[in-house]
Every structure is written in structure tokens, then in C-alpha cells.
Amino acid sequence: GRQHLTSEISFDISFKIFLAMPIRVTNPNILISGTPGTGKTTTSEMLASRTGFQHINVGDLVKQKELHRGWDDEFQAFEIDEDKVCDELEETMTRGGVIVDHHEVEFFPERWFDLVVVLRTDNSLLYPRLEGRGYAQKKIQENIECEIMQVVLDQATESYREEIIWELSSNSVEEMERNVERIEEWIRKRRNSG
């Protein structure tokens, strides 16, 4: 009687909570971040080609779908509309198997990501990479200062659980390849433990 009813109610509540949980049984979502020039897009493209995951370059998405508030002359970039970006990505992120590539980390919902990778590059290498992109001197200097002050890493630690954040060196193609291999191994272990 009463014992059976209590366990039935308990099961019903537990099942409803289970259904409401954002569980990705299939593939995890990964955020690849870092100061501009640290190799986010190269790493993301390599990882996507090796895993079959969908790669989303947020900068490109913002331009293609006009998810911005216009051009910012001071920073020589579009002023991103964070709400529009999140609305655009919400459905895709719930499916799993997504690699998001962006230098800003704090505006994404924490629940979206199972792994947050922050790429770091020595300034002696970062400077010529940014110069090669044709960045204005002021923009290069600001990005170098961001890397020195580890701005992206600090934002990541303020926005996500420490245990899902990986800080990885990204100074060469060899390091990028090793990083991709480490992430692939993490994905394999995650699949096998699930």
C-alpha cells in the first residue's frame, strides 16, 4: 500500500528530473578558445576533420548571419550581439558533437560545454602571426597584452568548472597536432566510460 505509493511517487519525480537534465549521450561539446592568433581555428578544423564533429567559427557565423550590432572602428571588428549568437546556436549545441571556436568565453551558457580548451602562445610567435593577418599595431598590442595577462584563461576559470578547463600550449603545428590527439583521446575515454 503506502510503501508502494511512496516509491512510485519517488520514481515519478526522479524520472521527471532525469528527463529535464541536459544529457548528451552521444558526443560532447568543446569550446576552443584563446587570444587571437593562438591557433583556435587551425586546431578546431583539425579536430573536426578527425572526429566528424561540427566546427563553428563564431566570428564567421556572426558575419554570415549578421549577429552583430555593427562595425566597431576602434577594434576593427564587428560588435557581437551575444544574445543573438546564443539564440542561433542553442539548438545545435543541444545535439552535441560541436566544436565552438571563439576568443570570448564568458557569454556562452556553461551547460553547453563538456570541455573548454584555452590555447596559449608565446608572444614572440604571436606577434608575427597577428602581423601576418594585417592587424593594426594597436590591435596587435592589445592582443599581446591579453595573452600576457592571460585574460582568456581568467575568463574561462570565472565562467566554467575548473575540472573541464585545459590550458594547452599552441606554439607550433606539432603542438597543435598533439593537442588534437589529447582531445581525441579524451573523447574516446568519455565514450567508453559512458
Side-chain angles (χ1 to χ4, degrees):
R2 175 179 271 200
Q3 181 66 36
H4 178 71
L5 183 62
T6 306
S7 62
E8 212 172 281
I9 291 169
S10 174
F11 172 77
D12 191 46
I13 290 168
S14 298
F15 190 65
K16 284 180 179 161
I17 290 169
F18 170 75
L19 289 177
M21 290 172 64
I23 295 175
R24 283 182 293 279
V25 179
T26 51
N27 289 314
N29 290 327
I30 301 166
L31 174 58
I32 307 282
S33 196
T35 304
T38 55
K40 294 179 299 298
T41 301
T42 303
T43 300
S44 296
E45 287 171 349
M46 287 167 60
L47 186 60
S49 74
R50 304 232 316 232
T51 60
F53 284 21
Q54 180 181 0
H55 169 218
I56 297 174
N57 178 317
V58 174
D60 291 346
L61 183 74
V62 165
K63 287 178 223 159
Q64 290 162 3
K65 303 263 183 162
E66 297 187 8
L67 307 175
H68 56 79
R69 296 185 189 96
W71 184 256
D72 184 325
D73 280 330
E74 185 184 352
F75 291 103
Q76 294 295 296
F78 286 106
E79 186 184 338
I80 189 169
D81 187 323
E82 297 168 354
D83 292 335
K84 283 183 181 177
V85 170
C86 289
D87 289 345
E88 179 69 30
L89 291 176
E90 181 67 46
E91 192 178 319
T92 302
M93 298 306 291
T94 57
R95 288 194 296 263
V98 181
I99 301 161
V100 174
D101 155 10
H102 196 52
H103 60 275
E104 291 181 49
V105 298
E106 68 276 351
F107 71 88
F108 299 115
E110 183 182 1
R111 64 185 156 75
W112 279 3
F113 299 107
D114 303 287
L115 180 65
V116 175
V117 175
V118 179
L119 300 176
R120 303 295 307 273
T121 300
D122 292 342
N123 286 323
S124 61
L125 300 168
L126 189 59
Y127 190 94
R129 287 182 190 176
L130 297 175
E131 210 172 34
R133 292 181 177 186
Y135 281 14
Q137 197 58 43
K138 181 182 180 194
K139 191 170 182 177
I140 293 173
Q141 199 54 47
E142 284 171 353
N143 283 310
I144 295 287
E145 286 171 17
C146 281
E147 187 63 4
I148 291 168
M149 302 297 290
Q150 65 182 28
V151 171
V152 178
L153 182 62
D154 288 348
Q155 288 174 348
T157 55
E158 289 166 16
S159 303
Y160 301 95
R161 297 183 327 277
E162 193 176 330
E163 62 268 20
I164 71 164
I165 300 170
W166 289 8
E167 178 185 5
L168 300 176
S169 180
S170 183
N171 290 312
S172 64
V173 172
E174 292 76 28
E175 282 188 346
M176 289 179 196
E177 287 172 350
R178 273 198 304 273
N179 292 340
V180 168
E181 286 166 9
R182 278 187 67 187
I183 298 166
E184 276 186 294
E185 180 62 25
W186 174 83
I187 293 167
R188 267 193 300 278
K189 283 181 181 172
R190 187 183 158 86
R191 278 185 186 145
N192 294 338
S193 70

